[in-house]
Amino acid sequence: MIAEAAVIVPFTGAGISTECGIPDFRSPGGLWARNRPIPFDEFVASQEARDESWRRRFAMETTFAAASPGRGHRALASLYRAGKVPGIVTQNIDNLHQASGFADDHVIELHGNTTYARCIGCRQIYDLGWVKQHFQDSGHAPDCVTCEEPVKTATVSFGQAMPEDAMRRAAEFAQQCDLFLAIGSSLVVWPAAGFPLMAKNAGARLVIINNEPTEQDDMADLVIRHDIGDTLGPFVGN
Ligand code: NAD
């Protein structure tokens, strides 16, 4: 299918990064088993929720900082360099597709990026070092120096609006490919989980690569219920 396709769009979830040491959400031992997610309205309303949210982020820092692209990331980057993949749609927030060689502009991040922070008001960008220093000095999560709204990782929390530009570009990619690869996602987080269906309805072949069954397996042209690194490893090249 990869050989036959002219335009391939990969759509990735947390499963592509587990071999890089970053736990996913829903596997046994995943992040949800340990921490209930903090919804956006709670983050906005409560200093305690913001402090807890940043404590959790700093606790993950060694994991995120140590992670480098796995076989899945590198295989997709090889197809990108070969001109088969115009861009990638990801639910991941770990920056590993960029680290594997995709240009920033060709990574459509549906749920943002956890490797930097933003003011939720004026959108000013902050680096994590600044946030950490402030947290250590004051004992609390910081507010924006310009507009005094809270500073949050540049991710999309439950209850927070989806980024319009990323949603629009992801839809264009889904509707313009002839092969759509859904890789390492439980396909239960909406609206992101709507893109495989959108691609299929627009005429693409759909392949799902995931260890566990998903609710969309029935409409896929091929389901590979197997390890992502093992499955995509042979496509790592140049
Ligand atoms: P998910 O945890 O709901 O699903 C991950 C799926 O990947 C699971 O079904 C699991 O069986 C499968 N999987 C895990 N390792 C695998 C492997 N090596 N081979 C094959 N399959 C494997 O993740 P999701 O669907 O991406 O949705 C969760 C949300 O969590 C996303 O929106 C994302 O923002 C966030 N998240 C991101 C990261 C990250 O950036 N790495 C990590 C955790 C959570």
Side-chain angles (χ1 to χ4, degrees), residues 13-15 17-18 22-27 31 91-94 111 184-187 189 210-212 226-228:
S17 297
T18 53
I22 302 175
D24 63 10
F25 261 173
R26 292 179 182 77
S27 291
L31 292 173
Q91 301 172 85
N92 293 348
I93 55 175
D94 55 25
H111 297 157
S185 175
S186 56
L187 300 178
V189 179
N210 203 58
N211 266 342
E212 293 175 320
H226 189 67
D227 182 70
I228 293 160

Side-chain angles (χ1 to χ4, degrees), residues 142-206:
D143 293 330
C144 179
V145 292
T146 310
C147 73
E148 298 183 358
E149 291 289 321
V151 173
K152 180 179 168 295
T153 55
T155 52
V156 178
S157 299
F158 286 102
Q160 189 171 5
M162 294 292 286
E164 277 175 31
D165 189 53
M167 289 297 286
R168 182 185 51 74
R169 292 189 68 206
E172 283 168 11
F173 273 126
Q175 288 166 333
Q176 285 166 12
C177 65
D178 52 5
L179 179 61
F180 190 90
L181 306 175
I183 302 166
S185 175
S186 56
L187 300 178
V188 297
V189 179
W190 290 78
F195 290 112
L197 178 62
M198 189 184 287
K200 182 74 187 156
N201 284 342
R205 282 170 157 175
L206 172 64

